[in-house]
Amino acid sequence: MKPANNTMAGLGTTVFEVMSRLAMEYGSINLGQGFPDQDGPEDVRRIAADALLEGPNQYPPMTGLPELRQAIQAHARRFYSLDYDWRSEIVVTSGATEALADCFFGLLNPGDEVILLEPLYDSYPPIVERSGAVPRYVSLQPPEWSLPLAELEAAFGPKTKMILLNNPMNPASKVFRREELETIARLCIEHDVICLCDEVYEHLLFDGLQHIPIAGLPGMRERTLRIASAGKIFSLTGWKVGWIEGPAELMGVIAKTHQFITFTTPPNLQKAVAYGLAKDDSYFEGLAGGMQAKRDRLVAGLEKVGFDVLPSEGTYFVSADFRPLGFNGTDVEFCRHITVEAGVTAVPVSVFFRSAKVEDLARFCFSKQDAILDDASKKLSDHFGA
Ligand code: PMP
Ligand code: GLN
């Protein structure tokens, strides 16, 4: 048999699946893969359920139900004063994962360079490589995860086509500040580079931090693509409804790419997301506030165990240095160890790096019921004798 595609055949199984399977095998509390253990708003689910029975159930328009694209346009206006034409500047996708693939496949040519900031979400590198493009990695280092300016500047060159910015950033739980965004924007403009922004955690910022889409900075709208995920906004990660907002000049080819990857996304779910996006501000504030309380709860528990816990400014996650507990192996070994021996699963942070070696952090997901978080802290505490 002739060989499969080299990039895809060379991949392992994603860490989220690996750790979730391990958690199931050992019956441990799964704080690895990022998903809430309580489904999002019942009224949103009810609209989807009704739409499943009453329709629409057939192919919706290729770029999304008009009512959803209009709701997306209104959402971007309401929260960020960004204006996108729902007819030509918004494409609904089957999750942010598809949105990312549409942008990479639609815009990259073989030999183009793409700057990827690590730690990074694991779907980026293989799809960039499958597009024939070359990733250029720039590492942010714990515990501050600050943007390394000299390295970033050095990564931009004549072949740079795109930079990917994940803000808030998984798994660093970092929220980029305006000055950092201004630096990235300046480099994008100077080098005529597209900024692909993965903003799936846009409504999960803590401690009063405000989400700033880089698309709103001067000179950036025409070169920025903003990716969002209803899974994260409505705590319904299995729904896989996402979208892309961007200038018509870029969205045309992205729509053409989407048409041959998934073509459309379930219309009943789209209808419910359209309804959800119009919820009043208290819903969005409650989402972030509730998650912040969960962060505080887990951080307090982990600190009591003896971890050196890093700041978490947003997302579902917090990373913690386990060296103070006296564990000398790698983070992969640590996460396996606590799954098997303590009954709690986390994700090793090294898997989010391609160029740098960071092997002493475990990422914990706190989008779980309080009792589960308390139980996890207790199990770790009992195991490490804290
Ligand atoms: N980007 C980041 C940074 C993520 O953490 C995730 C996982 N939820 C995704 C994209 C994928 O989102 P979706 O489930 O909408 O495909
Ligand atoms: N985004 C989630 C995380 O970082 C997982 C998504 C997935 O399992 N593919 O944990």
Side-chain angles (χ1 to χ4, degrees), residues 14-17 20 32-35 97 121-123 170-171 200-201 232 237 240 316-317 347 352 363 365:
T14 169
V15 65
F16 308 118
E17 180 72 16
S20 284
Q33 192 177 30
F35 62 90
T97 310
Y121 185 58
D122 68 346
S123 81
N170 174 17
V200 299
Y201 298 103
K232 298 293 171 349
T237 59
K240 303 296 286 188
Y316 287 157
F317 312 110
V347 167
F352 299 96
R363 189 199 77 172
C365 173

Side-chain angles (χ1 to χ4, degrees), residues 104-125:
F104 291 140
F105 287 140
L107 295 167
L108 300 176
N109 278 314
D112 286 342
E113 290 184 3
V114 179
I115 299 175
L116 297 177
L117 305 178
E118 49 179 22
L120 41 65
Y121 185 58
D122 68 346
S123 81
Y124 308 156

Side-chain angles (χ1 to χ4, degrees), residues 314-332:
T315 75
Y316 287 157
F317 312 110
V318 64
S319 292
D321 187 335
F322 52 81
R323 295 297 176 211
L325 304 177
F327 189 90
N328 292 323
T330 65
D331 57 345
V332 173

Side-chain angles (χ1 to χ4, degrees), residues 33-283:
Q33 192 177 30
F35 62 90
D37 65 352
Q38 285 179 304
D39 289 345
E42 184 169 341
D43 52 351
V44 173
R45 287 184 281 136
R46 183 83 48 204
I47 301 266
D50 290 348
L52 202 65
L53 292 174
E54 286 156 28
N57 285 301
Q58 306 305 330
Y59 293 134
M62 183 184 95
T63 57
L65 284 188
E67 69 185 272
L68 176 53
R69 282 180 287 144
Q70 285 159 8
I72 291 168
Q73 175 177 24
H75 169 269
R77 254 191 209 148
R78 168 178 161 199
F79 286 98
Y80 313 122
S81 304
L82 286 170
D83 231 319
Y84 291 102
D85 178 359
W86 68 271
R87 291 173 199 81
S88 58
E89 299 192 310
I90 292 168
V91 171
V92 175
T93 60
S94 293
T97 310
E98 189 220 318
L100 287 157
D102 292 344
C103 294
F104 291 140
F105 287 140
L107 295 167
L108 300 176
N109 278 314
D112 286 342
E113 290 184 3
V114 179
I115 299 175
L116 297 177
L117 305 178
E118 49 179 22
L120 41 65
Y121 185 58
D122 68 346
S123 81
Y124 308 156
I127 308 297
V128 168
E129 284 169 14
R130 192 68 186 87
S131 309
V134 182
R136 287 283 308 258
Y137 296 105
V138 174
S139 308
L140 278 61
Q141 290 292 322
E144 287 89 15
W145 306 112
S146 45
L147 200 58
L149 282 187
E151 283 139 63
L152 184 64
E153 297 226 11
F156 277 83
K159 290 190 181 161
T160 313
K161 166 74 77 63
M162 181 187 278
I163 180 169
L164 196 146
L165 176 66
N166 175 209
N167 182 29
M169 191 182 198
N170 174 17
S173 311
K174 171 190 171 77
V175 171
F176 285 82
R177 301 302 197 271
R178 184 173 291 279
E179 310 78 66
E180 294 174 306
L181 298 174
E182 283 169 354
T183 301
I184 296 169
R186 173 177 61 77
L187 289 166
C188 287
I189 294 166
E190 268 172 32
H191 294 270
D192 188 21
V193 162
I194 296 166
C195 189
L196 178 57
C197 288
D198 177 344
E199 302 190 356
V200 299
Y201 298 103
E202 65 189 294
H203 287 294
L204 289 164
L205 281 73
F206 311 136
D207 307 317
L209 286 170
Q210 297 294 313
H211 179 60
I212 308 173
I214 200 170
L217 270 55
M220 288 305 284
R221 186 195 187 280
E222 64 259 39
R223 58 180 66 256
T224 300
L225 296 157
R226 204 181 86 78
I227 291 178
S229 171
K232 298 293 171 349
I233 300 177
F234 299 109
S235 304
L236 295 164
T237 59
W239 277 24
K240 303 296 286 188
V241 178
W243 64 86
I244 311 162
E245 300 161 7
E249 295 68 33
L250 296 176
M251 292 305 290
V253 71
I254 289 169
K256 285 193 264 186
T257 312
H258 161 74
Q259 75 183 332
F260 291 136
I261 294 192
T262 58
F263 181 52
T264 56
T265 296
N268 23 56
L269 301 184
Q270 289 195 44
K271 193 163 188 248
V273 171
Y275 163 86
L277 285 176
K279 277 183 168 293
D280 58 29
D281 290 355
S282 62
Y283 169 74

